[in-house]
Every structure is written in C-alpha cells, then in structure tokens.
Amino acid sequence: MHADLSRITFRPQAHYSAVLAQQGRVQLDADANEQTAIQLYQARVTATDLIGQHGGPAGDAGFKIDMTGGSRELDDLSISPGRYYVDGILVEAYRPQPGVPVPDPAEAGAKDDDKDAKDGEGAAAEPPTTWTYWDQPDAYRDAERPEDRLPTQFPYLAYLKVWERSVTAAEDPALREVALGAALPDTAARLKVVWQVLPLPGGELDIEGDETKKAPVREAFRKWVAEQRKASARLAVRSERPDHADDDPCLVKPDARYRGPENQLYRIEIHDGGAAKDATFKWSRENGSVTFPVDGLDGTWVELATLGNDDKLDLDVGDHVEFMDSAVASRLDAHPLLRVEELDLPGRRVRLSDEPAQGVGRRPELHPYLRRWDHREAGRAQERTTKKGAAGRLKNGAVRVEEGAWLPLEDGVEVYFAAGSTYRSGDFWLVPARTATGSVEWPTDAARRPLLQAPLGPQVHYAPLGWVMGEKTVSDLRLAFKPLAGEIAAASDEELAAEEEARAADAAADAENEPADVASAGPAHGAALRSQTTAEAEALTEE
C-alpha cells in the first residue's frame, strides 16, 4: 500500500487479538492500523472457515457468467449482480444506478411540447443492472489491446481475481476535507477491494479427466492458482556504515550504520517482472506516498495541482516519477519511469524526459497523478566510489536487479536479492529505518545475519466462475451456501427428549399395573378404563 505510514506492525504469528491504548502515551498510526488488520484477519479467517475458499449466498450469489455478443463485433461476457466471498473477502458486483435530478422548469416545458412526438417512439431504455467483461469497473479492458480480448478458442475459464490496493486523495479527491484548506496534507488513506473477471485459456490448465465435468476443471484451476501464488523472489536488507561516513560525522552518531537524518519507511518494489536479467526495481524512502495530482498534459510538460508542501516532499530535476491513474494502478501495469528535466515553479509545471505511455494520464476521470521514486542514476564518478551493484545504469528508469550481491540504496541501507528468483511486477517489501538505533528493522538470525523474506504483497486471491465451452454454453463453477439460521422450535431438543422418555416410562408403568382381565379384554376395554379414570380425575378437579 502506497501511503504515508511509519511502519506496519501486524504479525499473524504473534496471535494478538486487540490493540490496547494506554493513558498518557503517544498514539501512532501503526497501532490503529494494526487494530484494523487484526479485525480484518479475524473476520476473513472466520468467513473462510464457514464458507470455504469461495462461495456466495444462495439468495444473492453474484458473478454468474453468461456469454453474449459484443457491440464491437467482439465476444463479451455478462456478470450478474450480487455478492461473493473469496478467501473471506467480500466482493460485490452491484452496478450503481444513476440518480434522479431535480427537473428544470424550462426543460420540463420543452418535454411537454414534444410529448406527442415521443409517445410513438417508445419508452427510454432502462440503465443496465449488470456489468460486462468490457465495462467492469476495476479491470479497465481495452478492445484495442489484443491481450485484453477474450480467447477465440473454446473452452476457456472465466475466473475472479481479487486483491486490495491503497487509495489517497490524489486519486479520490472526495477523501480530502476541504475545510482544512489546500495548504494542509490529506488525512487518512483507504484500502480498496479490486475485482476483475479475466479469461484463462483451457490449454493453460492441466485437466485430468472429462473436461466437461466441473470437478476436474475446479481441480485444475486449484493447481494453477497454487503456481501463481508461489513467491520465489526473496529479499534481505541490512544497514552498513558506508565508506564515506567520516565525511559527515556531525549529522548522526559516528557508529550509526543507518546514516539518514530522519526516520524513514523504505519501500522496495519490483517494476519489471521476469527473470533476474529482465527484472528491475524502484525504491522510495517515503513508502511511495509522495504523489502530485495532474491538472493538464501537453506533450512532455505536465501541469500539477501542487509541487509539494516542503523541500522533503517536492520534485527536483533528476527525480524519477511514475505516471499513474486508476487504470494503471488497478491493472498493475509497469510503464517506463520518466525523469524530471525542468521545473516551472510559477506555472506549477514540470518537463519530463518523455511523454507518458499511450492512454495514460489523458483521461481526467481516471485522476492521473505522478508518483515520485527516490533512486537516481549514478554517474561514472559515483560508480567508481561505490560498491559493486550500486545504483548503476537504469533500465526504463528503474534499477536493474542484481542477484547475490549487496546493493546500496542510500545512507547505509543495502538490499540483497536471492539467486534464482522469478519476479512479479508490484511485489514489494517495507523497511523501517530509525535514527535512534542507527539501523533498519529487519528479521535476523541468532548470529544477526539478515533473513531472506518473501514479498509483503500484494496478496492476490482467485475463484473459478464459469467454464465457457462455446457460444451461450457456460458451465457454472460458482459455489453457494445457505443461511445458518432456522426456525426456533417450541421446545429445546433436551426438553423434547425428556418428555418422550417420561411418556415411555408412564406407558411401561401402566402396562405393569394393568389387571389381567383388562389385559385379556383387549385394547378397547383398556381405553375405556383409562377414559373413566381421566373423567374421575377431571371431576375431582372441578370440585
């Protein structure tokens, strides 16, 4: 999550059930965020235990897939409204309906004049209530991109991909409290559930058995998901006193390994994925939270809403920025990072090294913004004075991954990528660096050697929806559950059992005490005798 955080303290293995605030103590963002994380973890684990890996309520299960003809001569899928749970995460597919505006008297009069002409044309079309593959809210499918189109070969699997990402006021201006004024920063960020219905060609599934049956398809998809979740990339971080530490002994403690003047939360994030020879990464000392909303774009010149609140959170020539918007953030696209070449402070403009990628930053409704990253391209003089694997030359604006060596970032912070890894765009690690200890907070073994860690996120979840075997032929792979609540019985099970035992005991006692002549007279005489006894008891009660 790209947000201005001090650190993340939630650890499931610690088994904490709540955060307890103490009187007279400083309140930190990490404590409040950990309480939220604890509650989310408990709720989602409980939902998964009760529902299973995925499922929807029987009366309102969403995400039913049907194949329809596309309006652009392309295949399309309809996505039914409703709710669904994936690994305990609630996913909703309801389509918002447009509101009804207050009518304008002038427009109302014009409509009355044309009423007779419109009566013969039929009623206006109702707004759609379902999403489709092409207009689903978080996938941002583009018919001009061949990779976004549905497969032309049958069968293929339509599946649900779910994950969470952070949203700040740079992307959603409604989060900002305008009463605080434009000079003050925004307040809290948000976590957003992102869902995308995507196709998976049948050839990529290892189906054992009859592919027209649901069970083999579900099992093959389960194996595919297990492969996707394998995190082979591992990273270690340490702080080492750099060679040039004696040049600035007055800034921090002489023996400090972390030489930064302020506490930071470093974010190391994979930019281009793949093998080590193709992978790149970027890093930020502010968790990637320094952003600048875009007001306009003219070639390589970008007009910004602000250039930053201070020298720490502004833009300078030589900074690398990532052109973002809602679509890029939701698709996890990795476009080349751009370099700031020139600043126009009075006009709140910056000139970048190149124009943004096609389709990025040109749609105001997607709220484009720039995200600053803090790595710099090392010059030849710097390369000669730093260790092997320092910033080095960049690839598409990001730092090349080098495995099996410690790579310096800045101020004594170094990272190490394990050999033989495969990298995924968006994977990230967070590293708190503290001036009080002069080091970074990272797990170590008994010998204080840094431990290799898998990425912190993003955590992606999957569920199968439909096995598309042909036009209008879709096998529904969703699961459903019924409510646990039922009718309240007149008496509890224990009370009913006790009453039945009492009746059986009475019947046994009556059989033992019954006279022989009554028994020989048969059931009719016994019934008459019991009726006479009952009548006598009722008479006594009346007296």
Side-chain angles (χ1 to χ4, degrees):
M1 54 198 77
H2 303 86
D4 188 11
L5 309 176
S6 60
R7 58 177 182 152
I8 293 180
T9 58
F10 174 62
R11 294 169 293 152
Q13 64 274 17
H15 305 299
Y16 294 139
S17 60
V19 175
L20 303 179
Q22 301 186 85
Q23 61 180 350
R25 269 55 163 199
V26 175
Q27 298 296 304
L28 298 178
D29 64 289
D31 297 330
N33 293 337
E34 182 174 352
Q35 178 61 54
T36 300
I38 289 173
Q39 292 176 317
L40 275 178
Y41 177 79
Q42 292 174 341
R44 290 172 176 176
V45 169
T46 301
T48 302
D49 289 343
L50 296 176
I51 298 171
Q53 192 268 322
H54 64 91
D60 195 19
F63 295 94
K64 183 179 186 301
I65 301 298
D66 288 307
M67 189 173 182
T68 62
S71 59
R72 289 165 284 197
E73 298 183 355
L74 295 172
D75 289 339
D76 201 357
L77 300 174
S78 67
I79 306 168
S80 71
R83 301 188 302 277
Y84 211 68
Y85 292 83
V86 182
D87 289 332
I89 301 175
L90 171 62
V91 189
E92 297 181 302
Y94 301 107
R95 184 159 190 157
Q97 295 300 296
V100 179
V102 176
D104 187 340
E107 293 180 359
K111 290 181 180 179
D112 292 339
D113 295 339
D114 297 338
K115 182 178 180 181
D116 295 337
K118 292 184 177 180
D119 286 343
E121 298 177 1
E126 292 291 331
T129 59
T130 62
W131 294 105
T132 69
Y133 172 77
W134 291 108
D135 68 6
Q136 54 182 308
D138 297 326
Y140 298 97
R141 301 290 92 182
D142 185 355
E144 301 300 325
R145 293 185 176 186
E147 63 271 20
D148 283 357
R149 298 174 185 174
L150 292 171
T152 57
Q153 300 292 327
F154 298 110
Y156 63 86
L157 180 72
Y159 68 94
L160 186 60
K161 177 181 179 180
V162 181
W163 60 289
E164 291 177 302
R165 68 180 184 89
S166 58
V167 177
T168 65
E171 187 178 346
D172 185 0
L175 298 181
R176 180 181 295 276
E177 175 52 75
V178 296
L180 297 177
L184 292 178
D186 58 350
T187 54
R190 302 293 189 272
L191 268 184
K192 174 184 173 64
V193 174
V194 176
W195 64 263
Q196 300 165 338
V197 174
L198 303 175
L200 178 64
E204 297 186 20
L205 292 174
D206 184 15
I207 301 177
E208 298 178 358
D210 187 356
E211 67 177 22
T212 63
K213 303 295 184 181
K214 295 182 179 181
V217 176
R218 287 196 181 107
E219 178 61 19
F221 182 73
R222 187 193 64 79
K223 295 179 180 178
W224 179 84
V225 170
E227 289 295 323
Q228 303 305 307
R229 288 179 172 172
K230 284 184 178 179
S232 64
R234 295 181 301 163
L235 179 83
V237 183
R238 71 179 184 184
S239 52
E240 285 291 320
R241 192 170 186 269
D243 296 335
H244 60 81
D246 293 333
D247 297 338
D248 51 358
C250 297
L251 295 181
V252 294
K253 294 186 297 183
D255 59 343
R257 298 186 302 274
Y258 167 60
R259 310 293 295 183
E262 297 185 23
N263 299 318
Q264 304 289 357
L265 181 62
Y266 283 89
R267 182 189 187 95
I268 297 94
E269 182 174 324
I270 300 299
H271 189 65
D272 295 307
K277 62 182 181 62
D278 303 316
T280 60
F281 73 97
K282 53 205 175 188
W283 62 266
S284 164
R285 66 179 72 93
E286 305 287 349
N287 189 28
S289 64
V290 181
T291 57
F292 306 89
V294 172
D295 284 346
L297 177 63
D298 182 12
T300 59
W301 280 98
V302 183
E303 181 181 352
L304 303 175
T306 176
L307 286 175
N309 297 323
D310 53 39
D311 294 340
K312 178 185 175 184
L313 304 175
D314 63 357
L315 282 175
D316 293 317
V317 173
D319 287 341
H320 284 87
V321 295
E322 188 174 9
F323 223 117
M324 301 290 297
D325 59 25
S326 297
V328 174
S330 296
R331 292 174 59 103
L332 289 176
D333 289 337
H335 299 297
L337 303 183
L338 306 177
R339 185 177 184 273
V340 176
E341 301 287 351
E342 186 178 352
L343 295 175
D344 175 14
L345 299 181
R348 300 197 316 275
R349 300 191 307 160
V350 296
R351 183 172 63 85
L352 304 179
S353 56
D354 199 355
E355 294 186 24
Q358 184 178 3
V360 179
R362 296 169 174 83
R363 296 174 58 185
E365 68 273 16
L366 297 182
H367 304 292
Y369 58 94
L370 300 181
R371 170 169 286 128
R372 190 192 78 186
W373 296 96
D374 295 324
H375 58 270
R376 294 289 187 106
E377 184 170 10
R380 296 186 182 276
Q382 183 180 352
E383 288 179 346
R384 288 195 299 267
T385 58
T386 55
K387 298 180 182 180
K388 177 186 177 183
R393 298 298 178 181
L394 305 181
K395 175 185 176 183
N396 293 329
V399 185
R400 297 177 184 270
V401 167
E402 182 179 343
E403 295 181 335
W406 286 101
L407 310 180
L409 301 186
E410 67 172 7
D411 296 329
V413 179
E414 299 180 351
V415 298
Y416 181 97
F417 291 97
S421 298
T422 302
Y423 301 89
R424 297 177 299 195
S425 295
D427 282 353
F428 68 92
W429 297 262
L430 298 181
V431 188
R434 298 295 182 256
T435 59
T437 59
S439 63
V440 298
E441 296 180 0
W442 190 264
T444 59
D445 64 3
R448 304 185 64 82
R449 294 175 300 182
L451 300 177
L452 293 166
Q453 299 289 302
L456 186 61
Q459 302 294 331
V460 183
H461 311 267
Y462 303 89
L465 297 177
W467 182 239
V468 184
M469 295 179 286
E471 294 185 6
K472 299 186 180 301
T473 305
V474 181
S475 177
D476 195 350
L477 298 178
R478 300 174 303 155
L479 301 176
F481 59 90
K482 295 181 179 180
L484 296 177
E487 292 289 341
I488 298 178
S492 66
D493 293 341
E494 292 79 3
E495 292 172 335
L496 292 174
E499 183 177 349
E500 185 64 27
E501 290 179 1
R503 289 176 181 174
D506 291 343
D510 291 344
E512 292 178 358
N513 298 328
E514 187 175 359
D517 56 343
V518 173
S520 61
H525 181 74
L529 181 61
R530 284 193 296 272
S531 299
Q532 180 181 358
T533 303
T534 303
E536 292 174 355
E538 291 176 349
L540 290 174
T541 303
E542 292 176 356
E543 292 177 359

